[in-house]
Amino acid sequence: MQTKFLTNSPWRRRFVWALAGLVAVWAVGWLAVPPILKSQAEKIAGQQLGRKVSIGAVDFKPWTLELTVTDLAMATADGSGEQLKIQRLYIDSELESLLRLAPVVDALRVDTPTLRITHLGDGHYDIDDILARLQQPGDQPAGSPPRFALYNLALTGGAVDFTDQTVHRTHELRGLDISVPFLSNLASQREVKVAPRLAFRLNGSVFDSAAEGTPFAQTHKTDARLRISALDLAPYLGYLPASLPVRLQSAVLGADIQLAFEQTPQTIVRLRGSLQANDVVVANVPATGVKGDPGGDLLAFKSLQLVLDDVRPLERRIQLAKVALDSPVLAVRRDAAGRLNLALAAEASGAGGGSSNNSKNIAKNDQLKGANGLKSTQTAVVNPTPPWAVEVAQVALRSGVVRWSDNSIPRPAELALADLSLDASGIAWPFVQPLQFSGAGQIEG
């Protein structure tokens, strides 16, 4: 009876055959694509990178065009370890890709990627061989850029180990999470499910950010937030130039900043939030070419907090709600020749005996001003640059200490101005009203 049902209508037979053919194609794709894709991907990637590439498993669902790759790994140059490993790569493609002849992906997810990079010194890294291969010009002539539409991109649980042999330190990045709503140069409309985000832990310090905006609207309105918790600068002090006249010995930074961007039609950028620096220690280094400069401690403080009320850098306007400095210690020293350590630091920053150079520069600037004074005046009138306007609602200093030592007199003296406190309000630059403040301290010595 079923045979008679099918033979009575040719359309029914065609439908059954089409359905059977579709099921057969799905079955072939489900069974044949994974092993073929696995072997070809390992072969082609290995040839392109010059490294051994391995794939644990490939799963492909032709009825939904979903592709899952697990345990994707690239070996190190000597083959003894893994340079890169991705636990899971998931791609959800769409049938629209066939119509546009360009990839249209509804979701792209990379789970638990791990990367190891080593700086060998003199600007060389253990991935230089890969970079050299990728930079080689291809045989095909340059054409139009590839067309694509990628939506709901996410990277979760990423980890990076960066070993710098020049400073004998390994920097560890953990918990790397990146979310991007879309990257596209096609006018494809797909459902966006993720909000832009970047978060990670770098050497134990937490970094987090988020954004929300309408980049294609007329106002280009965007709101973003950046949070940094207890960023210890100790692992990065070895990268500071040795020629600096002062040396940062320790600092822990924190930030919670909100950024608002809008273009209507002028570009407006606003910053609000707070910045904080804790356990900061700065020392003088012995000035090169300055005899008798021993260096030593210069400045230290327990915490410095800035509360941003309305900061508009493009308009050169800064409004701070509060500036709080806790337990600052300033060491001022005069050597046997009567030179202050502050002056020695400034002299060392002149890059090689800058007093004569500074004099020459000043004279040269005076000559230029004399020759082009009229032109400069006219330019200033035509296109004036507004000065910076700074307003601080409240300034507070607590438990400050200034230590003074003088070795220029026959009997060296040491004094200290301790228990310093200062409160000020309504500070504005340029000054528009008298400065109101109160302070206290005591002299010890």
Side-chain angles (χ1 to χ4, degrees), residues 92-150:
D92 183 11
S93 302
E94 292 302 316
L95 290 174
E96 189 178 346
S97 305
L98 303 178
L99 300 177
R100 293 180 174 272
L101 299 179
V104 178
V105 176
D106 257 1
L108 175 60
R109 186 179 181 92
V110 181
D111 293 336
T112 321
T114 302
L115 175 65
R116 296 178 176 86
I117 300 178
T118 301
H119 181 207
L120 305 175
D122 296 330
H124 295 289
Y125 299 84
D126 61 345
I127 58 172
D128 285 349
D129 57 321
I130 298 177
L131 298 178
R133 283 176 171 269
L134 297 179
Q135 291 174 357
Q136 291 180 356
D139 298 333
Q140 299 295 333
S144 59
R147 301 164 65 245
F148 62 90
L150 308 178

Short mmCIF file of all heavy atoms in Angstrom, two decimals, residues 92-150:
data_model
loop_
_atom_site.label_atom_id
_atom_site.label_comp_id
_atom_site.label_asym_id
_atom_site.label_seq_id
_atom_site.Cartn_x
_atom_site.Cartn_y
_atom_site.Cartn_z
N ASP A 92 29.80 27.96 14.31
CA ASP A 92 28.42 27.76 13.88
C ASP A 92 28.19 28.57 12.61
O ASP A 92 27.89 29.76 12.67
CB ASP A 92 27.45 28.19 14.99
CG ASP A 92 25.99 27.93 14.62
OD1 ASP A 92 25.75 27.24 13.61
OD2 ASP A 92 25.10 28.44 15.33
N SER A 93 28.34 27.92 11.46
CA SER A 93 28.17 28.59 10.18
C SER A 93 26.70 28.60 9.77
O SER A 93 25.87 27.89 10.34
CB SER A 93 29.01 27.89 9.10
OG SER A 93 30.37 27.87 9.46
N GLU A 94 26.41 29.41 8.76
CA GLU A 94 25.04 29.55 8.28
C GLU A 94 24.96 29.26 6.79
O GLU A 94 25.95 29.43 6.05
CB GLU A 94 24.53 30.97 8.57
CG GLU A 94 24.35 31.27 10.05
CD GLU A 94 23.40 30.30 10.72
OE1 GLU A 94 22.33 30.00 10.14
OE2 GLU A 94 23.72 29.83 11.83
N LEU A 95 23.78 28.81 6.34
CA LEU A 95 23.58 28.53 4.92
C LEU A 95 23.71 29.79 4.07
O LEU A 95 23.96 29.70 2.87
CB LEU A 95 22.18 27.92 4.72
CG LEU A 95 22.00 26.50 5.24
CD1 LEU A 95 20.55 26.08 5.10
CD2 LEU A 95 22.91 25.53 4.51
N GLU A 96 23.59 30.95 4.70
CA GLU A 96 23.80 32.20 3.98
C GLU A 96 25.20 32.29 3.40
O GLU A 96 25.44 33.02 2.43
CB GLU A 96 23.53 33.38 4.93
CG GLU A 96 23.50 34.74 4.26
CD GLU A 96 23.17 35.85 5.24
OE1 GLU A 96 22.71 35.54 6.36
OE2 GLU A 96 23.39 37.02 4.88
N SER A 97 26.14 31.55 3.98
CA SER A 97 27.50 31.54 3.44
C SER A 97 27.52 31.05 2.00
O SER A 97 28.30 31.54 1.17
CB SER A 97 28.40 30.66 4.32
OG SER A 97 28.36 31.07 5.66
N LEU A 98 26.68 30.05 1.68
CA LEU A 98 26.63 29.52 0.31
C LEU A 98 26.05 30.53 -0.66
O LEU A 98 26.48 30.62 -1.81
CB LEU A 98 25.81 28.22 0.29
CG LEU A 98 26.29 27.10 1.23
CD1 LEU A 98 25.35 25.91 1.15
CD2 LEU A 98 27.71 26.70 0.89
N LEU A 99 25.07 31.31 -0.22
CA LEU A 99 24.46 32.30 -1.10
C LEU A 99 25.39 33.47 -1.36
O LEU A 99 25.42 34.01 -2.47
CB LEU A 99 23.15 32.80 -0.47
CG LEU A 99 22.07 31.72 -0.23
CD1 LEU A 99 20.86 32.33 0.46
CD2 LEU A 99 21.68 31.04 -1.54
N ARG A 100 26.14 33.88 -0.36
CA ARG A 100 27.04 35.03 -0.49
C ARG A 100 28.43 34.65 -0.96
O ARG A 100 29.24 35.52 -1.24
CB ARG A 100 27.14 35.77 0.85
CG ARG A 100 25.85 36.44 1.28
CD ARG A 100 26.04 37.14 2.60
NE ARG A 100 24.88 37.92 2.99
CZ ARG A 100 24.67 39.18 2.64
NH1 ARG A 100 25.56 39.82 1.91
NH2 ARG A 100 23.58 39.82 3.03
N LEU A 101 28.72 33.36 -1.00
CA LEU A 101 30.07 32.89 -1.33
C LEU A 101 31.11 33.54 -0.42
O LEU A 101 32.22 33.90 -0.84
CB LEU A 101 30.39 33.17 -2.81
CG LEU A 101 29.48 32.49 -3.83
CD1 LEU A 101 29.88 32.88 -5.24
CD2 LEU A 101 29.49 30.97 -3.65
N ALA A 102 30.74 33.69 0.82
CA ALA A 102 31.61 34.28 1.83
C ALA A 102 31.16 33.73 3.18
O ALA A 102 29.97 33.47 3.38
CB ALA A 102 31.52 35.81 1.83
N PRO A 103 32.08 33.53 4.11
CA PRO A 103 31.70 32.95 5.40
C PRO A 103 30.79 33.87 6.21
O PRO A 103 31.11 35.05 6.43
CB PRO A 103 33.04 32.72 6.10
CG PRO A 103 33.99 33.68 5.44
CD PRO A 103 33.53 33.79 4.02
N VAL A 104 29.67 33.35 6.64
CA VAL A 104 28.76 34.01 7.57
C VAL A 104 28.64 33.08 8.77
O VAL A 104 28.10 31.97 8.65
CB VAL A 104 27.39 34.29 6.93
CG1 VAL A 104 26.46 34.93 7.96
CG2 VAL A 104 27.53 35.18 5.71
N VAL A 105 29.15 33.52 9.91
CA VAL A 105 29.24 32.67 11.09
C VAL A 105 28.41 33.30 12.21
O VAL A 105 28.60 34.47 12.55
CB VAL A 105 30.71 32.51 11.54
CG1 VAL A 105 30.80 31.71 12.83
CG2 VAL A 105 31.52 31.83 10.44
N ASP A 106 27.47 32.51 12.74
CA ASP A 106 26.63 32.99 13.83
C ASP A 106 27.35 32.96 15.17
O ASP A 106 27.00 33.72 16.07
CB ASP A 106 25.35 32.16 13.91
CG ASP A 106 24.16 32.90 13.33
OD1 ASP A 106 24.35 34.03 12.85
OD2 ASP A 106 23.05 32.35 13.33
N ALA A 107 28.31 32.09 15.34
CA ALA A 107 29.04 32.00 16.61
C ALA A 107 30.42 31.42 16.35
O ALA A 107 30.57 30.47 15.58
CB ALA A 107 28.28 31.14 17.62
N LEU A 108 31.42 32.01 16.98
CA LEU A 108 32.80 31.51 16.92
C LEU A 108 33.35 31.56 18.34
O LEU A 108 33.46 32.64 18.94
CB LEU A 108 33.64 32.36 15.99
CG LEU A 108 35.14 32.04 15.93
CD1 LEU A 108 35.34 30.61 15.47
CD2 LEU A 108 35.87 32.99 15.00
N ARG A 109 33.67 30.40 18.88
CA ARG A 109 34.10 30.31 20.28
C ARG A 109 35.40 29.54 20.38
O ARG A 109 35.56 28.47 19.80
CB ARG A 109 33.01 29.61 21.11
CG ARG A 109 33.29 29.59 22.60
CD ARG A 109 32.17 28.90 23.36
NE ARG A 109 32.42 28.90 24.79
CZ ARG A 109 32.00 29.83 25.63
NH1 ARG A 109 31.29 30.84 25.16
NH2 ARG A 109 32.27 29.77 26.93
N VAL A 110 36.35 30.11 21.13
CA VAL A 110 37.64 29.49 21.39
C VAL A 110 37.74 29.29 22.90
O VAL A 110 37.74 30.26 23.67
CB VAL A 110 38.80 30.36 20.87
CG1 VAL A 110 40.14 29.67 21.14
CG2 VAL A 110 38.64 30.65 19.38
N ASP A 111 37.83 28.04 23.31
CA ASP A 111 37.85 27.71 24.74
C ASP A 111 39.25 27.26 25.17
O ASP A 111 39.88 26.40 24.53
CB ASP A 111 36.86 26.58 25.05
CG ASP A 111 35.42 27.02 24.85
OD1 ASP A 111 35.16 28.23 24.93
OD2 ASP A 111 34.57 26.14 24.61
N THR A 112 39.72 27.87 26.25
CA THR A 112 40.96 27.49 26.93
C THR A 112 42.16 27.41 25.99
O THR A 112 42.82 26.37 25.87
CB THR A 112 40.78 26.15 27.66
OG1 THR A 112 39.49 26.07 28.24
CG2 THR A 112 41.82 26.00 28.77
N PRO A 113 42.48 28.50 25.30
CA PRO A 113 43.73 28.50 24.53
C PRO A 113 44.92 28.79 25.45
O PRO A 113 44.83 29.57 26.39
CB PRO A 113 43.52 29.64 23.53
CG PRO A 113 42.61 30.58 24.25
CD PRO A 113 41.72 29.74 25.12
N THR A 114 46.03 28.12 25.19
CA THR A 114 47.25 28.29 25.98
C THR A 114 48.41 28.57 25.03
O THR A 114 48.66 27.80 24.10
CB THR A 114 47.56 27.04 26.81
OG1 THR A 114 46.44 26.77 27.67
CG2 THR A 114 48.79 27.25 27.67
N LEU A 115 49.12 29.67 25.28
CA LEU A 115 50.23 30.10 24.41
C LEU A 115 51.46 30.31 25.27
O LEU A 115 51.39 30.92 26.35
CB LEU A 115 49.86 31.38 23.67
CG LEU A 115 50.94 32.02 22.80
CD1 LEU A 115 51.32 31.10 21.64
CD2 LEU A 115 50.50 33.37 22.28
N ARG A 116 52.61 29.83 24.77
CA ARG A 116 53.89 30.03 25.45
C ARG A 116 54.86 30.69 24.50
O ARG A 116 55.11 30.19 23.40
CB ARG A 116 54.46 28.69 25.95
CG ARG A 116 53.60 28.01 27.01
CD ARG A 116 54.18 26.67 27.44
NE ARG A 116 53.40 26.07 28.52
CZ ARG A 116 52.34 25.31 28.34
NH1 ARG A 116 51.92 25.04 27.10
NH2 ARG A 116 51.68 24.82 29.38
N ILE A 117 55.43 31.83 24.93
CA ILE A 117 56.37 32.60 24.12
C ILE A 117 57.60 32.90 24.97
O ILE A 117 57.48 33.22 26.16
CB ILE A 117 55.75 33.91 23.61
CG1 ILE A 117 54.52 33.62 22.74
CG2 ILE A 117 56.76 34.72 22.81
CD1 ILE A 117 53.83 34.87 22.24
N THR A 118 58.78 32.81 24.36
CA THR A 118 60.03 33.09 25.06
C THR A 118 60.80 34.17 24.32
O THR A 118 61.01 34.06 23.10
CB THR A 118 60.89 31.82 25.18
OG1 THR A 118 60.17 30.82 25.90
CG2 THR A 118 62.20 32.12 25.91
N HIS A 119 61.21 35.20 25.05
CA HIS A 119 62.09 36.23 24.51
C HIS A 119 63.53 35.79 24.74
O HIS A 119 63.99 35.70 25.88
CB HIS A 119 61.81 37.57 25.20
CG HIS A 119 62.66 38.69 24.67
ND1 HIS A 119 62.99 39.79 25.43
CD2 HIS A 119 63.23 38.88 23.45
CE1 HIS A 119 63.74 40.60 24.71
NE2 HIS A 119 63.91 40.07 23.52
N LEU A 120 64.23 35.50 23.66
CA LEU A 120 65.58 34.96 23.75
C LEU A 120 66.63 36.03 23.97
O LEU A 120 67.76 35.72 24.36
CB LEU A 120 65.91 34.17 22.48
CG LEU A 120 64.91 33.05 22.13
CD1 LEU A 120 65.27 32.42 20.80
CD2 LEU A 120 64.86 32.01 23.24
N GLY A 121 66.29 37.29 23.71
CA GLY A 121 67.25 38.39 23.83
C GLY A 121 67.56 39.00 22.48
O GLY A 121 67.40 38.37 21.43
N ASP A 122 68.00 40.25 22.50
CA ASP A 122 68.37 40.98 21.28
C ASP A 122 67.21 41.03 20.28
O ASP A 122 67.41 40.98 19.07
CB ASP A 122 69.61 40.36 20.61
CG ASP A 122 70.85 40.45 21.49
OD1 ASP A 122 70.93 41.41 22.27
OD2 ASP A 122 71.70 39.54 21.40
N GLY A 123 65.99 41.11 20.80
CA GLY A 123 64.83 41.22 19.94
C GLY A 123 64.41 39.94 19.25
O GLY A 123 63.59 39.98 18.32
N HIS A 124 64.93 38.79 19.67
CA HIS A 124 64.59 37.52 19.05
C HIS A 124 63.67 36.71 19.97
O HIS A 124 63.83 36.72 21.20
CB HIS A 124 65.85 36.70 18.76
CG HIS A 124 66.74 37.33 17.73
ND1 HIS A 124 66.42 37.40 16.40
CD2 HIS A 124 67.96 37.94 17.86
CE1 HIS A 124 67.38 38.00 15.73
NE2 HIS A 124 68.33 38.36 16.60
N TYR A 125 62.71 36.02 19.34
CA TYR A 125 61.74 35.22 20.06
C TYR A 125 61.73 33.80 19.49
O TYR A 125 62.22 33.56 18.38
CB TYR A 125 60.33 35.83 19.96
CG TYR A 125 60.24 37.22 20.55
CD1 TYR A 125 60.61 38.35 19.82
CD2 TYR A 125 59.78 37.41 21.85
CE1 TYR A 125 60.53 39.61 20.36
CE2 TYR A 125 59.69 38.67 22.41
CZ TYR A 125 60.07 39.78 21.65
OH TYR A 125 59.99 41.03 22.20
N ASP A 126 61.16 32.89 20.27
CA ASP A 126 61.14 31.50 19.81
C ASP A 126 60.08 31.24 18.75
O ASP A 126 59.89 30.09 18.34
CB ASP A 126 60.95 30.55 21.00
CG ASP A 126 59.63 30.79 21.72
OD1 ASP A 126 59.01 31.84 21.50
OD2 ASP A 126 59.23 29.92 22.52
N ILE A 127 59.38 32.29 18.30
CA ILE A 127 58.42 32.14 17.20
C ILE A 127 58.87 32.93 15.97
O ILE A 127 58.08 33.18 15.07
CB ILE A 127 57.01 32.61 17.63
CG1 ILE A 127 57.04 34.07 18.10
CG2 ILE A 127 56.44 31.70 18.70
CD1 ILE A 127 55.67 34.64 18.35
N ASP A 128 60.15 33.31 15.94
CA ASP A 128 60.66 34.06 14.78
C ASP A 128 60.52 33.28 13.49
O ASP A 128 60.29 33.85 12.42
CB ASP A 128 62.12 34.46 15.01
CG ASP A 128 62.26 35.60 16.01
OD1 ASP A 128 61.22 36.21 16.34
OD2 ASP A 128 63.38 35.86 16.47
N ASP A 129 60.68 31.95 13.54
CA ASP A 129 60.57 31.15 12.33
C ASP A 129 59.16 31.20 11.76
O ASP A 129 58.96 31.25 10.54
CB ASP A 129 60.97 29.70 12.62
CG ASP A 129 60.13 29.08 13.74
OD1 ASP A 129 59.82 29.79 14.72
OD2 ASP A 129 59.77 27.90 13.61
N ILE A 130 58.15 31.23 12.63
CA ILE A 130 56.77 31.32 12.16
C ILE A 130 56.50 32.69 11.56
O ILE A 130 55.88 32.81 10.48
CB ILE A 130 55.80 31.04 13.32
CG1 ILE A 130 56.01 29.62 13.84
CG2 ILE A 130 54.35 31.24 12.89
CD1 ILE A 130 55.13 29.28 15.03
N LEU A 131 56.97 33.74 12.22
CA LEU A 131 56.76 35.09 11.70
C LEU A 131 57.43 35.27 10.34
O LEU A 131 56.88 35.92 9.44
CB LEU A 131 57.29 36.12 12.70
CG LEU A 131 56.63 36.12 14.09
CD1 LEU A 131 57.28 37.15 14.98
CD2 LEU A 131 55.13 36.39 13.96
N ALA A 132 58.61 34.69 10.18
CA ALA A 132 59.30 34.80 8.89
C ALA A 132 58.51 34.10 7.79
O ALA A 132 58.43 34.60 6.65
CB ALA A 132 60.70 34.21 9.01
N ARG A 133 57.91 32.96 8.08
CA ARG A 133 57.12 32.26 7.08
C ARG A 133 55.87 33.05 6.72
O ARG A 133 55.48 33.13 5.55
CB ARG A 133 56.73 30.87 7.60
CG ARG A 133 57.85 29.85 7.56
CD ARG A 133 57.39 28.54 8.19
NE ARG A 133 58.37 27.47 7.97
CZ ARG A 133 58.37 26.64 6.95
NH1 ARG A 133 57.43 26.75 6.02
NH2 ARG A 133 59.29 25.70 6.83
N LEU A 134 55.22 33.63 7.71
CA LEU A 134 53.98 34.37 7.45
C LEU A 134 54.23 35.67 6.70
O LEU A 134 53.33 36.17 6.02
CB LEU A 134 53.27 34.66 8.78
CG LEU A 134 52.79 33.44 9.56
CD1 LEU A 134 52.12 33.87 10.86
CD2 LEU A 134 51.83 32.59 8.72
N GLN A 135 55.44 36.22 6.82
CA GLN A 135 55.75 37.48 6.15
C GLN A 135 56.23 37.29 4.72
O GLN A 135 56.40 38.27 4.00
CB GLN A 135 56.80 38.26 6.94
CG GLN A 135 56.30 38.78 8.28
CD GLN A 135 57.39 39.42 9.10
OE1 GLN A 135 58.56 39.43 8.70
NE2 GLN A 135 57.03 39.96 10.25
N GLN A 136 56.46 36.06 4.32
CA GLN A 136 56.90 35.83 2.94
C GLN A 136 55.78 36.15 1.96
O GLN A 136 54.63 35.78 2.18
CB GLN A 136 57.33 34.36 2.77
CG GLN A 136 58.60 34.00 3.51
CD GLN A 136 58.98 32.54 3.32
OE1 GLN A 136 58.25 31.77 2.70
NE2 GLN A 136 60.13 32.16 3.86
N PRO A 137 56.10 36.85 0.86
CA PRO A 137 55.05 37.18 -0.11
C PRO A 137 54.52 35.92 -0.78
O PRO A 137 55.27 34.99 -1.09
CB PRO A 137 55.76 38.10 -1.11
CG PRO A 137 57.22 37.75 -0.98
CD PRO A 137 57.41 37.37 0.47
N GLY A 138 53.22 35.90 -1.01
CA GLY A 138 52.60 34.76 -1.65
C GLY A 138 52.76 34.78 -3.16
O GLY A 138 53.13 35.79 -3.76
N ASP A 139 52.48 33.64 -3.78
CA ASP A 139 52.57 33.55 -5.23
C ASP A 139 51.39 34.23 -5.93
O ASP A 139 51.52 34.69 -7.06
CB ASP A 139 52.63 32.07 -5.66
CG ASP A 139 53.86 31.37 -5.11
OD1 ASP A 139 54.86 32.08 -4.87
OD2 ASP A 139 53.81 30.14 -4.89
N GLN A 140 50.24 34.31 -5.24
CA GLN A 140 49.07 34.90 -5.85
C GLN A 140 49.14 36.41 -5.78
O GLN A 140 49.57 36.98 -4.77
CB GLN A 140 47.80 34.40 -5.13
CG GLN A 140 47.61 32.89 -5.20
CD GLN A 140 47.37 32.42 -6.62
OE1 GLN A 140 46.85 33.17 -7.46
NE2 GLN A 140 47.77 31.19 -6.91
N PRO A 141 48.72 37.11 -6.84
CA PRO A 141 48.72 38.58 -6.80
C PRO A 141 47.68 39.09 -5.80
O PRO A 141 46.68 38.42 -5.51
CB PRO A 141 48.34 38.97 -8.23
CG PRO A 141 47.60 37.79 -8.77
CD PRO A 141 48.25 36.59 -8.13
N ALA A 142 47.97 40.28 -5.26
CA ALA A 142 47.06 40.85 -4.27
C ALA A 142 45.72 41.18 -4.92
O ALA A 142 45.67 41.77 -6.00
CB ALA A 142 47.68 42.11 -3.66
N GLY A 143 44.66 40.81 -4.27
CA GLY A 143 43.33 41.08 -4.77
C GLY A 143 42.51 41.83 -3.76
O GLY A 143 43.03 42.45 -2.83
N SER A 144 41.21 41.80 -3.94
CA SER A 144 40.32 42.48 -3.02
C SER A 144 40.33 41.74 -1.68
O SER A 144 40.54 40.52 -1.62
CB SER A 144 38.90 42.51 -3.58
OG SER A 144 38.43 41.20 -3.82
N PRO A 145 40.11 42.44 -0.57
CA PRO A 145 40.12 41.80 0.75
C PRO A 145 38.99 40.79 0.86
O PRO A 145 37.94 40.92 0.23
CB PRO A 145 39.92 42.98 1.71
CG PRO A 145 39.28 44.05 0.90
CD PRO A 145 39.83 43.89 -0.48
N PRO A 146 39.19 39.74 1.63
CA PRO A 146 38.15 38.73 1.78
C PRO A 146 36.90 39.30 2.43
O PRO A 146 36.96 40.19 3.28
CB PRO A 146 38.81 37.67 2.67
CG PRO A 146 39.88 38.40 3.40
CD PRO A 146 40.37 39.45 2.46
N ARG A 147 35.76 38.77 2.02
CA ARG A 147 34.48 39.19 2.55
C ARG A 147 34.03 38.19 3.61
O ARG A 147 34.15 36.98 3.43
CB ARG A 147 33.45 39.30 1.43
CG ARG A 147 33.87 40.27 0.35
CD ARG A 147 33.08 40.10 -0.94
NE ARG A 147 31.66 40.41 -0.76
CZ ARG A 147 30.67 39.54 -0.88
NH1 ARG A 147 30.96 38.27 -1.17
NH2 ARG A 147 29.42 39.90 -0.72
N PHE A 148 33.51 38.70 4.73
CA PHE A 148 33.13 37.81 5.82
C PHE A 148 32.14 38.54 6.73
O PHE A 148 32.01 39.77 6.71
CB PHE A 148 34.35 37.37 6.62
CG PHE A 148 35.07 38.52 7.28
CD1 PHE A 148 34.74 38.94 8.56
CD2 PHE A 148 36.09 39.18 6.60
CE1 PHE A 148 35.40 40.00 9.16
CE2 PHE A 148 36.75 40.25 7.19
CZ PHE A 148 36.40 40.65 8.47
N ALA A 149 31.45 37.76 7.54
CA ALA A 149 30.56 38.27 8.59
C ALA A 149 30.64 37.30 9.76
O ALA A 149 30.14 36.17 9.67
CB ALA A 149 29.13 38.41 8.08
N LEU A 150 31.29 37.72 10.83
CA LEU A 150 31.49 36.88 12.01
C LEU A 150 30.75 37.52 13.19
O LEU A 150 30.96 38.70 13.50
CB LEU A 150 32.98 36.75 12.34
CG LEU A 150 33.90 36.32 11.20
CD1 LEU A 150 35.35 36.27 11.68
CD2 LEU A 150 33.48 34.97 10.64
#
